[in-house]
Amino acid sequence: MNRPARIGIVLLLGAVAGALAGLYIVRYLMAAPELVPASTGPGQASVTMQTVGTIGFGDHPDWVSYLVRTPSGRWVHTTIIKVPAHTLVHVTIYQYDTSTGLRNPLWAQPRGVVGGAIYLNGKPTRVVDAADPAHTFAIPDLGLSVPLDGIPDNAKNQCSAAPCRLSMAHNTITFSFRTGAPGIYRWQCFVPCGAGFLYGNGGPMQTLGYMDGQLVVQ
Ligand SMILES: [Cu+2]
């Protein structure tokens, strides 16, 4: 093979490698879940989420996940939420997964919520059985921790793919908390719900868009 042909092949291989590296960067390293803003009113905001036992689509269809509802009512597979600073935030979570239980029973007590209570299917609740949560919603830097009780293993009409509908078996948990200064606050679930991973703490438990999230306070 003559020299120009060899140079041509090397250049071609270089271009292919570059294109693949670019695809990898765009597809895997820059891909971030969508940011969903809260619905806002004077001095208040509201956020609606659901937790599901299996997301049912995407890269990891069998992973547990959160979803967030946009102000216009569309369910988005994300955990990145934008709320205003120094504001009372009302949260509603539709919890469709079965129980896993808490590793630390301390987390059975809701903390950091207005009034010290959450509402579990409308009932004021100051502590749950540590065996009952399927997930928690916790923002460590705000001292917020909310247990989300699972549905019974034998519940009828369970949801298997998100977004789940209100006609399917679920618990509704509502609570309120106050935001402070602007910033990005990490939030996560503290139930070891990553089935199939070491101690249940891998996979979805370590992945933004599933059981890890960011509260963007602006
Ligand atoms: Cu979880």
Side-chain angles (χ1 to χ4, degrees):
M1 197 182 290
N2 60 25
R3 190 177 153 84
R6 286 204 302 265
I7 291 173
I9 287 171
V10 168
L11 289 177
L12 183 69
L13 290 176
V16 170
L20 287 174
L23 194 67
Y24 172 75
I25 289 168
V26 170
R27 176 72 179 80
Y28 293 102
L29 300 186
M30 289 172 61
E34 188 177 331
L35 183 150
V36 171
S39 303
T40 52
Q44 302 189 28
S46 59
V47 173
T48 303
M49 293 182 276
Q50 64 172 260
T51 45
V52 299
T54 49
I55 184 75
F57 59 84
D59 291 342
H60 307 288
D62 59 345
W63 281 14
V64 291
S65 194
Y66 271 87
L67 292 91
V68 183
R69 200 171 72 184
T70 66
S72 63
R74 181 171 59 96
W75 284 106
V76 180
H77 182 209
T78 187
T79 52
I80 303 181
I81 311 159
K82 188 172 77 172
V83 294
H86 305 290
T87 296
L88 181 64
V89 180
H90 304 291
V91 181
T92 300
I93 300 178
Y94 302 117
Q95 202 302 110
Y96 291 90
D97 199 4
T98 51
S99 303
T100 293
L102 294 166
R103 179 159 291 161
N104 184 341
L106 182 74
W107 298 328
Q109 182 183 353
R111 303 171 78 90
V113 294
V114 172
I118 60 173
Y119 293 82
L120 175 57
N121 298 322
K123 189 166 160 256
T125 301
R126 291 178 181 274
V127 67
V128 301
D129 189 309
D132 288 346
H135 305 281
T136 69
F137 178 80
I139 311 174
D141 283 348
L142 297 182
L144 179 80
S145 176
V146 174
L148 306 172
D149 275 15
I151 59 169
D153 284 339
N154 61 357
K156 288 199 177 69
N157 198 18
Q158 293 189 28
C159 178
S160 57
C164 303
R165 296 191 304 274
L166 285 174
S167 60
M168 295 166 165
H170 68 282
N171 286 320
T172 303
I173 296 99
T174 60
F175 58 93
S176 302
F177 71 99
R178 283 182 194 286
T179 59
I184 296 177
Y185 298 81
R186 182 181 61 79
W187 68 264
Q188 71 169 92
C189 164
F190 277 100
V191 171
C193 63
F197 292 90
L198 188 64
Y199 302 121
N201 274 326
M205 286 293 280
Q206 301 180 356
T207 308
L208 267 181
Y210 292 86
M211 285 287 138
D212 278 324
Q214 289 175 347
L215 186 76
V216 178
V217 180
Q218 285 184 344

